[in-house]
């Protein structure tokens, strides 16, 4: 962070611990400055342990992991992939990389994630048009578990493999099982704004040894098993460096602590913002069995009760040097995806119109949280 921004409260800045530098130091001392080495092996083992999966491939980004995951699940030109509309664009971009088409689905109001009713409706409609979807992507937005019981049952009924985009959900659980471990392929992101970071990085996880091996192969230029450079397939350069994996190892030691603090921050906001007119933080409670990581605390405004909009609030917070952001703009409303099929849309459009993400970084103390509350109270 730049020194003149000392007072600025960011949405979700990196929060380093005390051990990252040791791992990076060791990598440099040992000359393991390559996209291979002991930090990568260690980081992958840490992720397997945290996510409760058998295999992990550390990659250069979460987007790369989604791209490879879709390839592993057989997506190619002309295919259709089911995807929630209410998510970050990186969930859907890799569908387009492959010449496939996203089919977007609305959210349900409880978790804001993909609606099971829309899912069944869309699958039946696509099948009736002779276009059975190839893959279903599930996303746990803001670290809130999606309705896994209902959604996985539908995927199984129609025999559609699931890619679980858990980029925002590291450390969250459903029925005490870590998110990321429910799909045939799971994806994590270690981008700078996520709950843990390697500055940039990602991971693909799976319980299927053959899929993991294939992911590793594709991520390293798809080099055939020959003494010279022979290639039979298109490959990618998607491996993580051993230096960045060192940062990741230090960060993984902190996962439980960081989830605990994010949850405390959510609880603080819910308690202290409760009296402000027109504002509902508690609107996003955890359904039974769900344990969110509360990556970002989000608020919704009630236009009946307050003239403030997310944008007037955001601009006011900005005058107090506090960063906030609108919720993700639904993908079916993006110019990029104007032509893509969409089922429903009113729920996520309403969330986008009324919602704002508040500073949720784990390095914040109660003084910083009070600053956010005071700035909000000034406009509400
Ligand atoms: C951050 C994010 C990604 C992409 O991860 P990168 O590591 O930034 O490529 C994908 N999906 C969701 C939902 C995300 O929030």
């Amino acid at each position: 962070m730049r020194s003149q921004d000392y007072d600025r409260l960011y949405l979700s800045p990196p929060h380093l611990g005390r051990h990252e530098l040791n791992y990076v130091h060791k990598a440099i001392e040992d000359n393991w400055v390559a996209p291979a080495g002991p930090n990568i092996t260690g980081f992958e083992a840490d992720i397997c342990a945290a996510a409760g999966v058998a295999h992990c491939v550390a990659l250069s980004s979460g987007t790369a992991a989604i791209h490879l995951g879709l390839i592993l699940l057989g997506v190619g030109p002309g295919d259709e992939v089911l995807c929630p509309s209410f998510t970050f664009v990186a969930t859907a971009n890799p569908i387009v990389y492959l010449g496939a088409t996203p089919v977007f689905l609305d959210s349900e109001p409880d978790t804001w994630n993909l609606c099971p009713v829309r899912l069944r409706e869309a699958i039946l409609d696509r099948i009736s048009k002779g276009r059975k979807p190839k893959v279903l992507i599930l996303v746990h937005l803001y670290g809130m578990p999606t309705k896994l019981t209902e959604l996985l049952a539908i995927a199984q009924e129609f025999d559609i493999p699931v890619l679980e985009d858990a980029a925002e959900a590291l450390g969250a659980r459903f029925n005490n099982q870590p998110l990321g471990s429910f799909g045939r392929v799971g994806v994590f992101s270690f981008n700078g704004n996520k709950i843990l970071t390697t500055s940039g990085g990602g991971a693909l996880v799976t319980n299927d040894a053959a899929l993991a091996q294939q992911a590793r192969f594709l991520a390293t230029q798809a080099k055939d098993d020959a003494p010279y450079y022979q290639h039979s397939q298109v490959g990618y350069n998607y491996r993580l460096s051993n230096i960045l994996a060192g940062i990741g190892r230090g960060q993984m030691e902190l996962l439980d602590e960081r989830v605990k603090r994010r949850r405390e921050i959510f609880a603080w906001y819910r308690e202290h913002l409760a009296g402000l007119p027109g504002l509902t933080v508690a609107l996003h409670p955890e359904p039974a069995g769900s344990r969110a990581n509360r990556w970002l605390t989000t608020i919704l405004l009630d236009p009946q009760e307050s003239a403030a909009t997310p944008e007037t609030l955001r601009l006011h917070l900005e005058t107090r040097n506090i960063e906030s952001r609108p919720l993700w703009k639904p993908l079916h409303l993006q110019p990029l995806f104007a032509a893509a099929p969409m089922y429903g849309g009113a729920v996520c459009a309403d969330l986008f119109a009324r919602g704002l993400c508040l500073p949720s970084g784990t390095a914040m103390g109660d003084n910083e949280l009070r600053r956010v509350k005071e700035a909000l109270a000034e406009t509400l």
Side-chain angles (χ1 to χ4, degrees):
M1 241 172 280
R2 290 161 298 161
S3 56
Q4 68 266 33
D5 284 341
Y6 180 75
D7 264 346
R8 183 156 173 82
L9 289 184
Y10 288 95
L11 201 67
S12 182
H15 186 188
L16 294 175
R18 288 187 297 122
H19 294 157
E20 290 85 351
L21 200 53
N22 299 348
Y23 290 109
V24 171
H25 211 106
K26 181 97 172 73
I28 291 175
E29 258 173 21
D30 296 348
N31 203 33
W32 272 115
V33 187
N39 280 339
I40 291 181
T41 322
F43 185 43
E44 290 176 343
D46 294 344
I47 295 169
C48 282
V53 290
H55 307 280
C56 171
V57 183
L59 297 168
S60 53
S61 71
T63 310
I66 295 170
H67 187 189
L68 293 186
L70 291 176
I71 296 172
L72 297 178
L73 298 179
V75 174
D79 287 335
E80 291 189 346
V81 175
L82 297 159
C83 179
S85 175
F86 197 43
T87 182
F88 181 46
V89 70
T91 305
N93 272 338
I95 301 170
V96 181
Y97 301 168
L98 293 167
T101 307
V103 172
F104 291 120
L105 308 166
D106 203 355
S107 301
E108 39 79 12
D110 301 336
T111 74
W112 304 0
N113 292 307
L114 199 149
C115 173
V117 177
R118 290 294 181 203
L119 177 62
R120 178 178 294 280
E121 175 194 330
I123 293 174
L124 291 172
D125 189 51
R126 297 328 282 175
I127 289 176
S128 78
K129 293 181 162 68
R131 308 178 60 90
K132 184 182 166 189
K134 193 79 181 197
V135 167
L136 166 64
I137 303 183
L138 296 180
V139 183
H140 313 287
L141 221 55
Y142 305 116
M144 172 64 78
T146 193
K147 291 199 168 169
L148 282 161
T149 307
E150 294 87 336
L151 297 169
L152 293 175
I154 296 170
Q156 190 169 21
E157 179 185 335
F158 291 96
D159 197 21
I160 298 174
V162 170
L163 184 146
E164 189 185 356
D165 176 356
E168 301 179 4
L170 183 66
R173 292 173 167 266
F174 183 73
N175 289 342
N176 215 23
Q177 183 183 330
L179 299 191
S181 65
F182 287 87
R184 273 206 77 198
V185 169
V187 167
F188 295 113
S189 166
F190 296 91
N191 192 40
N193 60 348
K194 296 302 196 308
I195 193 161
L196 300 182
T197 184
T198 56
S199 80
L204 183 151
V205 296
T206 179
N207 284 314
D208 184 325
L211 286 187
Q213 193 188 356
Q214 184 69 2
R216 231 176 268 282
F217 170 74
L218 292 174
T220 45
Q221 307 287 19
K223 184 178 174 297
D224 290 343
D225 191 13
Y228 34 80
Y229 284 91
Q230 174 170 297
H231 306 272
S232 319
Q233 281 185 63
V234 175
Y236 304 86
N237 181 5
Y238 276 171
R239 290 293 270 155
L240 188 70
S241 96
N242 191 55
I243 304 262
L244 296 185
I247 301 177
R249 292 201 74 183
Q251 288 273 286
M252 286 300 291
E253 294 176 4
L254 303 163
L255 179 60
D256 292 347
E257 215 174 291
R258 294 294 189 254
V259 171
K260 180 166 167 284
R261 184 63 190 147
R262 296 258 176 185
R263 291 177 59 86
E264 285 170 5
I265 289 169
F266 174 85
W268 192 98
Y269 278 129
R270 191 173 50 184
E271 184 187 339
H272 291 85
L273 303 185
L276 298 182
L279 189 153
T280 342
V281 190
L283 195 118
H284 211 181
E286 290 163 319
S290 290
R291 189 179 160 82
N293 69 4
R294 299 296 187 188
W295 170 53
L296 295 182
T297 293
T298 54
I299 55 174
L300 286 183
L301 295 170
D302 182 350
Q304 309 289 327
E305 281 190 50
S306 166
T309 66
E311 187 56 8
T312 57
L313 273 189
R314 188 186 72 78
L315 291 172
H316 180 72
L317 291 173
E318 202 53 48
T319 67
R320 300 290 181 267
N321 211 11
I322 297 169
E323 182 183 40
S324 63
R325 293 265 178 84
L327 303 187
W328 299 124
K329 180 175 179 179
L331 297 183
H332 76 283
L333 300 176
Q334 303 284 354
L336 171 65
F337 294 119
M342 171 71 190
Y343 290 82
V347 176
C348 62
D350 176 61
L351 291 167
F352 173 62
R354 294 198 292 125
L356 194 69
C357 303
L358 297 181
S360 306
T362 41
M364 283 194 304
D366 285 4
N367 280 342
E368 284 78 24
L369 291 170
R370 265 192 294 275
R371 248 180 79 193
V372 180
K373 179 194 166 174
E374 277 156 26
L376 287 171
E378 283 160 3
T379 22
L380 283 170

